[in-house]
Amino acid sequence: MVDKYRNFIDGQWCDAASGETFLNRNPSNIDDVVGEFPASGPEDVDRACQAARAAYKEWRLVPPPKRGAVLLDIYHKMMEHKEQLAQLMSREMGKPIGEARGDVQEGIETAMYMSGEGRRMFGQTSTAEFKGKMAYSLRMPMGVAGLITPWNFPCAIPCWKAFPALICGDAVVIKPASDAPATAVRMAEIFAEAGLPKGLFNVVCGSGGKAGTALAEHPQVNVISFTGSTATGSKLAQITGRDLKRLSLEMGGKNAQIVMDDAKLDLAVEGAVWGAFGTAGQRCTATSRLIVHRKVLDEFTQRLIDGAKRVNIGPGNAESTNVGPLINEAALNKVESYVAIGRDEDHAELILGGKRMTAGDFAKGWFFEPTIFANGKRTMRIAREEIFGPLVLIIPVDSFDEAIDVLNDTDYGLSSSIYTQDVNRAHEAIRDIECGITYINGPTIGAETHMPFGGFKNTGNGHRESGTEVLSTYSEWKTIYVDYSGRLQRAQLDED
């Protein structure tokens, strides 16, 4: 018996207006059907947006500290259901259960952090140009936030987007990825149990082409926040640009880890294995380039091979697994195609992996071997294009300056890392690397909820997730002038 999931709109569970559905399968075992979901379209999106608009009109008048109290209730309720959410997530998208628990915990911590922002919704108070006059600014809610979220972080990223929107006074319509919708649907149920008023968090399942596009185009939606591919982000920019609608984009990466000749190699290898193969390389911050000083190249390469061979590949819900499957057949085919591309590139050398795994327990899942290419060059396609799988390229360099230059030679600028014991080099790297995130002696993956997350270049369009900076995505600034002089004082004129 297949579990049947429904949309959550205005506090009610409902099917798609068309009655159409789609199946979601466990990528560790495609015979395991996680559930049947509504294949929603414009009519369903419209219903959700109308409900969100009506709920917003009441929610915007709730004082921010009281909104924060509701988020704190959600925090406690999510803590109660943490293991359930993690198990569901691991089943529907294959993330190792340990990582899935961390994904849920990040969502939980975002609820706690944003609940506190209800008492820190700070504006600015300033002096004015005239006597008997004061000036200050306030954050104002925007209305309805449309959230289009990816499958690789089914809890954390929806929370990154929804909780800042809610604390700012907005209502939310979320379109989760069709490869991992169950977590978002279960979150809606948990939020309702925690006391979030109806209509503030609506979930509409379906494809990006139908439900996602309808959400971006809907006239009741004031801001769209999207995490996903650069190609889709570019299409959303065209759609929202026609209506001058605010758009926050968090897209691709081609992240690099530099290993200098003075690096602690055990630590650098440990970071590289985790950064390249954690979540099977399916993170926008995954390490896909290893820029290694020639003086330590041979030793680092051998240690990396040994480390990659030790990873335990298996189904997501097995406690011993630390590398799970890819999300679907298309993702598996994409990684295979890049292995073929790498084999054909001049001088590139496949030194580990390179094949899908089909024997025994892997036969019914989308598993791929941890894959390492050596003797890389910055011009190679596998050095420049986002692969989103467990494939990493080693690029040798002769100096620190060359390493920085190679790292920056990409269309993306999300995350970066350097391993060195030289404090001066570390700070030069912080200054010169063109990325939104830089780690010193740590891998490229990982984020903390109180710090801004996002990148340069084709990684995004200038907005940030998390921290206090994200509040600017979901609020408008209003400047207030209060003139209590009792007479007309004409600004922008040259008079006393």
Side-chain angles (χ1 to χ4, degrees):
M1 185 70 178
V2 175
D3 291 336
K4 185 172 183 179
Y5 290 77
R6 308 172 84 187
N7 290 330
F8 189 71
I9 298 175
D10 202 21
Q12 303 294 321
W13 299 102
C14 52
D15 297 323
S18 66
E20 297 178 1
T21 62
F22 66 93
L23 298 179
N24 181 28
R25 296 181 183 273
N26 180 345
S28 296
N29 177 6
I30 60 175
D31 287 346
D32 176 24
V33 178
V34 177
E36 182 181 7
F37 294 83
S40 305
E43 185 176 344
D44 308 291
V45 170
D46 178 65
R47 181 180 172 189
C49 290
Q50 297 294 346
R53 175 62 60 179
Y56 156 74
K57 292 179 180 179
E58 297 294 328
W59 184 244
R60 64 182 288 273
L61 300 176
V62 175
K66 293 189 180 298
R67 297 178 204 147
V70 175
L71 293 193
L72 195 58
D73 289 338
I74 291 175
Y75 160 82
H76 289 295
K77 188 61 68 173
M78 288 183 72
M79 285 292 289
E80 291 179 25
H81 295 283
K82 177 179 175 179
E83 184 63 19
Q84 181 191 55
L85 282 170
Q87 292 290 344
L88 178 61
M89 177 193 304
S90 183
R91 183 183 173 205
E92 77 165 337
M93 60 80 58
K95 182 174 286 191
I97 187 60
E99 288 189 45
R101 292 182 184 118
D103 188 320
V104 177
Q105 185 61 38
E106 191 164 345
I108 290 169
E109 290 169 357
T110 302
M112 173 179 277
Y113 181 79
M114 284 298 159
S115 72
E117 289 305 298
R119 291 191 177 275
R120 293 188 297 268
M121 200 68 65
F122 299 136
Q124 294 177 318
T125 301
S126 181
T127 55
E129 297 176 349
F130 296 104
K131 298 176 183 178
K133 185 179 181 183
M134 64 179 296
Y136 63 97
S137 62
L138 294 172
R139 287 190 185 275
M140 304 296 290
M142 292 190 67
V144 176
L147 313 181
I148 303 173
T149 60
W151 50 262
N152 59 339
F153 282 85
C155 180
I157 290 180
C159 291
W160 280 9
K161 298 176 186 297
F163 293 149
L166 290 168
I167 201 66
C168 285
D170 302 327
V172 165
V173 178
I174 182 171
K175 203 296 289 181
S178 53
D179 279 309
T183 303
V185 174
R186 179 65 183 122
M187 285 166 58
E189 188 175 8
I190 291 170
F191 294 178
E193 290 175 7
L196 185 68
K198 68 176 186 178
L200 290 178
F201 188 82
N202 305 276
V203 180
V204 180
C205 302
S207 69
K210 289 185 178 180
T213 298
L215 185 59
E217 291 177 338
H218 200 281
Q220 294 283 9
V221 173
N222 303 91
V223 53
I224 290 287
S225 180
F226 167 78
T227 297
S229 72
T230 299
T232 301
S234 178
K235 292 178 182 177
L236 287 171
Q238 296 176 40
I239 292 170
T240 57
R242 291 196 295 265
D243 297 324
L244 303 179
K245 189 175 297 184
R246 184 174 298 175
L247 174 66
S248 174
L249 296 174
E250 172 52 46
M251 300 179 291
K254 193 65 181 173
N255 314 291
Q257 172 183 310
I258 295 172
V259 181
M260 292 306 301
D261 54 334
D262 65 339
K264 293 183 178 180
L265 289 189
D266 286 344
L267 184 64
V269 167
E270 189 177 20
V273 171
W274 173 230
F277 306 127
T279 324
Q282 299 172 119
R283 296 187 184 215
C284 55
T285 56
T287 307
S288 58
R289 297 179 294 155
L290 293 168
I291 302 170
V292 184
H293 198 288
R294 288 188 192 276
K295 289 183 179 180
V296 295
L297 178 63
D298 291 343
E299 184 177 0
F300 175 85
T301 300
Q302 187 56 55
R303 291 192 189 190
L304 180 68
I305 292 171
D306 294 342
K309 287 180 177 178
R310 287 194 295 269
V311 301
N312 192 4
I313 305 168
N317 62 358
E319 293 288 347
S320 60
T321 294
N322 45 44
V323 174
L326 293 171
I327 187 63
N328 55 34
E329 181 72 20
L332 198 65
N333 292 337
K334 180 180 179 181
V335 177
E336 276 191 321
S337 72
Y338 273 102
V339 170
I341 289 167
R343 286 178 178 274
D344 290 340
E345 304 223 50
D346 289 341
H347 305 294
E349 181 184 356
L350 179 63
I351 60 174
L352 185 71
K355 299 186 296 296
R356 68 171 65 199
M357 304 173 71
T358 58
D361 293 340
F362 303 115
K364 293 185 177 181
W366 291 304
F367 294 91
F368 201 88
E369 297 175 332
T371 299
I372 303 172
F373 276 89
N375 199 28
K377 299 184 183 301
R378 69 171 78 187
T379 54
M380 292 175 174
R381 285 184 63 188
I382 58 173
R384 307 198 67 83
E385 298 175 14
E386 187 177 35
I387 299 170
F388 226 64
L391 188 157
V392 67
L393 173 67
I394 301 172
I395 303 175
V397 293
D398 294 305
S399 68
F400 170 79
D401 288 341
E402 183 185 3
I404 298 295
D405 188 51
V406 171
L407 187 149
N408 287 336
D409 189 7
T410 172
D411 293 332
Y412 300 101
L414 179 52
S415 190
S416 58
S417 166
I418 181 169
Y419 283 78
T420 179
Q421 297 182 69
D422 186 328
V423 66
N424 294 329
R425 278 178 171 173
H427 281 278
E428 286 183 51
I430 292 168
R431 180 194 66 193
D432 295 337
I433 288 175
E434 298 168 354
C435 287
I437 303 167
T438 295
Y439 292 87
I440 307 300
N441 294 322
T444 61
I445 63 177
E448 299 191 20
T449 58
H450 60 289
M451 299 298 290
F453 180 94
F456 301 175
K457 305 178 187 177
N458 289 352
T459 288
N461 63 341
H463 293 279
R464 291 293 185 268
E465 308 272 18
S466 299
T468 57
E469 181 61 27
V470 70
L471 300 176
S472 294
T473 297
Y474 300 105
S475 60
E476 295 278 18
W477 280 110
K478 175 177 283 190
T479 301
I480 299 97
Y481 298 103
V482 179
D483 192 323
Y484 54 94
S485 68
R487 62 188 179 87
L488 175 64
Q489 302 190 89
R490 298 182 295 175
Q492 280 81 50
L493 292 180
D494 187 14
E495 60 180 29
D496 293 330

